[in-house]
Amino acid sequence: MKLRKLLFRGAVALLLLIAVMAVRTLMQPSLQVEVEAVAKVHLDETALALRLASALRFPTISSSNMSGPELQPFADLLDWFEISYPTVYAQLRAERVAQHSLVLTWLGADASAAPGLFMAHLDVVPVEPGTEADWTHPAFGGVVADGFIWGRGALDVKSGAVALHEAIRELVAAGFQPQRSLYFAFGHDEEIGGAAGNGAIVPWMQERGIELQFVIDEGGFILDGLIPELEPAPVALIDIAEKAYCTIHLRAKSVGGHSSMPPVSTAVGKIAAAIHKLESNPFPLRLTAPIEAQFRHLAPEMPLLQRFALSNLWLTAPLIKSQLAADVRARSLIQTSTAATIIAGGVKENVVPQHATATVNFRLLPGDTPEAVLIHVTDLIDDPDVVAELGLTTEPAAPSSANSATYKAIARSAREIHPNCIVLPTLLVGATDSRHYRSIAKEVYRFSGLRLHLDDVAGFHGTNERMRIDYFADGVRIMMRMIQNLSSESNLPKN
Ligand SMILES: [Zn+2]
């Protein structure tokens, strides 16, 4: 009798719990910004494609210690912009900073409104030696074929720099005047850290007393094929945060000498053991604010089962984390990553080296700091003969809001052009030049407005980088809407 009563009570409690979870699941309203579809402005898509193709022909490959010959393509590209977009350069103030980076200033009607900044970098990564023949069209050929514009920079991110110029030109032609002042920054060395380009533009802005309301840089794309449950709707990703960067150098020492009489443990062995410890003790899987925000925005759009899982993270987080961890790309969203990238030691096969070194690159989730990672690494290795030191690091920054007027204006712009797209906030696992602006910007978002299929993501820094012609035109239309939607204080209602 007693047992029956207990079982009954247990069953009631379970039913109640399920009811609460079901209510939680079903009560989630859509967080998508509701928009009125905007008639697509007419653009000559063929002419657009040919202009992007022209820009791709400048081999603006950034590398450290760039000198005359390597810098010439940057000067040529900047000249090409001026020649190709005369009305833009007649209306906006153009200033070259650090010689090969560019700032355009579009003065707003309201001098008291905090200005905004749009960014895209002009440099690209080189083609990996030996892979040139794998390209369907030459990487710097600037070919338009099969509905695509082909070439290095078509995705990352000369397409963004050209789209901004196209959008400004269309708006100038339409007589548009921004309320707030708008800046457009085009750095020339993002792929090698951006110290010379945007690293110089920030103090240039500080000298002029510029304090930005927002920065919008490259980053999130509009992706086809990302979430099967949402197909055919594309997913627009707005990066509200990016992982911090942290390199740690390891240096091991041991007794050197003749390899016929080696010590029990050599410097090479110690370095190998240290890396093995780091790889076999990865950082914990962790859901951070940007990813939880992503789930909140995604849940209401998903079929019931997934909606249930995403709406009840208190119960389902372990399952979701383990599912994400099974995919390399998804795992990087929920883990501070560890990548041993360089190892060196020894000069001759019969000499025991006295030193060996390794470099390990970490990408930090929000909340982790380079200093904490160094302590963690030192504790894990636990060997007095192996010294760990911080190399290049970036300081972690707080995520921007997925509920701000700026975020909503970006989301609105995407949905005005792609009305069925699902907009999600997320975390960028890479790094962008926008980080240079933290000290002078209230909000930082990373969204390019450009659409592509998941299959074409491999082109980033890879082979056959390409952009669909009609998607590029839509990217220009989204840029136009972003500039319009973000250019007025009245378009940005206070929270
Ligand atoms: Zn880039």
Side-chain angles (χ1 to χ4, degrees):
M1 199 56 191
K2 228 177 182 180
L3 182 67
R4 224 190 219 178
K5 216 171 185 178
L6 263 177
L7 279 175
F8 178 73
R9 279 189 186 162
V12 169
L14 189 64
L15 277 173
L16 264 175
L17 185 68
I18 290 170
V20 167
M21 287 161 68
V23 168
R24 270 181 89 101
T25 304
L26 296 169
M27 291 287 283
Q28 301 285 341
S30 175
L31 297 174
Q32 297 302 304
V33 175
E34 279 187 42
V35 299
E36 310 258 320
V38 165
K40 282 192 181 183
V41 289
H42 173 75
L43 298 171
D44 181 342
E45 301 196 354
T46 308
L48 274 183
L50 290 172
R51 277 194 292 276
L52 174 55
S54 299
L56 299 185
R57 287 188 204 116
F58 298 95
T60 52
I61 300 165
S62 54
S63 61
S64 43
N65 301 318
M66 281 190 281
S67 62
E70 290 101 14
L71 284 166
Q72 192 56 46
F74 291 94
D76 294 343
L77 176 60
L78 291 178
D79 291 346
W80 176 85
F81 273 121
E82 273 193 58
I83 293 163
S84 305
Y85 299 93
T87 54
V88 172
Y89 285 77
Q91 179 80 32
L92 279 64
R93 194 166 64 224
E95 287 158 281
R96 295 190 187 183
V97 180
Q99 277 197 311
H100 297 97
S101 285
L102 171 69
V103 180
L104 297 178
T105 306
W106 200 350
L107 285 179
D110 179 359
S112 69
L117 170 69
F118 292 88
M119 299 173 65
H121 60 87
L122 305 172
D123 60 321
V124 295
V125 294
V127 172
E128 194 182 333
T131 66
E132 294 88 348
D134 299 338
W135 285 68
T136 306
H137 301 284
F140 293 99
V143 173
V144 178
D146 307 323
F148 287 88
I149 308 130
W150 300 73
R152 176 63 84 227
L155 296 171
D156 187 8
V157 65
K158 267 185 197 164
S159 45
V162 173
L164 280 171
H165 276 83
E166 295 285 345
I168 299 167
R169 190 191 44 192
E170 292 296 325
L171 291 170
V172 165
F176 175 76
Q177 162 79 51
Q179 280 296 306
R180 64 167 83 244
S181 291
L182 296 175
Y183 294 90
F184 302 85
F186 303 94
H188 70 280
D189 63 340
E190 190 275 344
E191 297 291 0
I192 55 166
N198 282 294
I201 295 174
V202 172
W204 180 92
M205 286 191 166
Q206 281 170 321
E207 278 166 28
R208 287 156 180 76
I210 295 166
E211 287 178 23
L212 300 164
Q213 174 62 36
F214 61 81
V215 170
I216 297 180
D217 196 4
E218 63 167 332
F221 281 82
I222 302 170
L223 283 166
D224 291 324
L226 183 67
I227 302 180
E229 291 84 350
L230 299 178
E231 291 286 293
V235 176
L237 297 171
I238 301 176
D239 300 309
I240 61 172
E242 67 184 44
K243 289 175 100 173
Y245 183 104
C246 169
T247 287
I248 290 184
H249 299 292
L250 305 177
R251 186 175 169 82
K253 66 174 193 303
S254 76
V255 180
H258 202 284
S259 64
S260 60
M261 296 171 291
V264 174
S265 177
T266 65
V268 168
K270 285 174 184 292
I271 277 291
I275 289 173
H276 180 67
K277 279 181 193 163
L278 297 182
E279 287 192 345
S280 40
N281 292 281
F283 281 84
L285 305 175
R286 187 156 62 80
L287 297 181
T288 56
I291 299 302
E292 288 180 346
Q294 181 178 340
F295 291 168
R296 270 197 305 282
H297 284 72
L298 177 59
E301 316 304 326
M302 291 294 268
L304 196 63
L305 186 67
Q306 288 90 338
R307 201 190 316 170
F308 180 85
L310 292 168
S311 305
N312 294 282
L313 286 179
W314 59 275
L315 179 70
T316 56
L319 181 71
I320 289 177
K321 283 193 287 190
S322 74
Q323 273 187 359
L324 290 176
D327 176 272
V328 174
R329 222 178 358 215
R331 188 175 67 221
S332 61
L333 294 169
I334 57 167
Q335 187 176 50
T336 288
S337 61
T338 304
T341 50
I342 303 175
I343 188 160
V347 289
K348 199 166 181 299
E349 68 187 61
N350 62 352
V351 175
V352 175
Q354 298 180 42
H355 296 103
T357 59
T359 299
V360 188
N361 184 241
F362 300 86
R363 302 300 178 100
L364 281 46
L365 284 180
D368 283 347
T369 63
E371 294 71 25
V373 171
L374 179 64
I375 291 170
H376 175 80
V377 163
T378 308
D379 289 351
L380 260 184
I381 294 174
D382 190 26
D383 181 343
D385 289 335
V386 180
V387 177
E389 275 176 357
L390 284 179
L392 190 61
T393 62
T394 63
E395 282 310 306
S400 296
S401 168
N403 196 32
S404 69
T406 302
Y407 176 91
K408 286 175 183 166
I410 299 170
R412 188 197 311 166
S413 307
R415 283 169 64 84
E416 281 169 342
I417 304 304
H418 300 293
N420 68 335
C421 82
I422 302 300
V423 183
L424 302 177
T426 190
L427 170 70
L428 183 67
V429 299
T432 68
D433 258 2
S434 67
R435 70 178 182 280
H436 296 289
Y437 291 84
R438 277 176 199 158
S439 58
I440 59 167
K442 290 198 185 98
E443 308 170 292
V444 179
Y445 295 96
R446 302 145 200 86
F447 180 65
S448 71
L450 296 164
R451 181 170 174 181
L452 68 149
H453 193 278
L454 194 61
D455 293 345
D456 279 330
V457 168
F460 280 90
H461 294 203
T463 299
N464 281 335
E465 191 172 343
R466 62 181 194 171
M467 168 69 62
R468 237 173 83 165
I469 293 171
D470 54 342
Y471 282 180
F472 180 60
D474 282 340
V476 172
R477 294 184 178 104
I478 290 179
M479 279 295 178
M480 291 174 67
R481 293 304 301 153
M482 281 212 279
I483 292 171
Q484 290 172 301
N485 286 330
L486 286 160
S487 70
S488 159
E489 284 289 343
S490 60
N491 285 351
L492 296 177
K494 297 279 172 286
N495 284 318

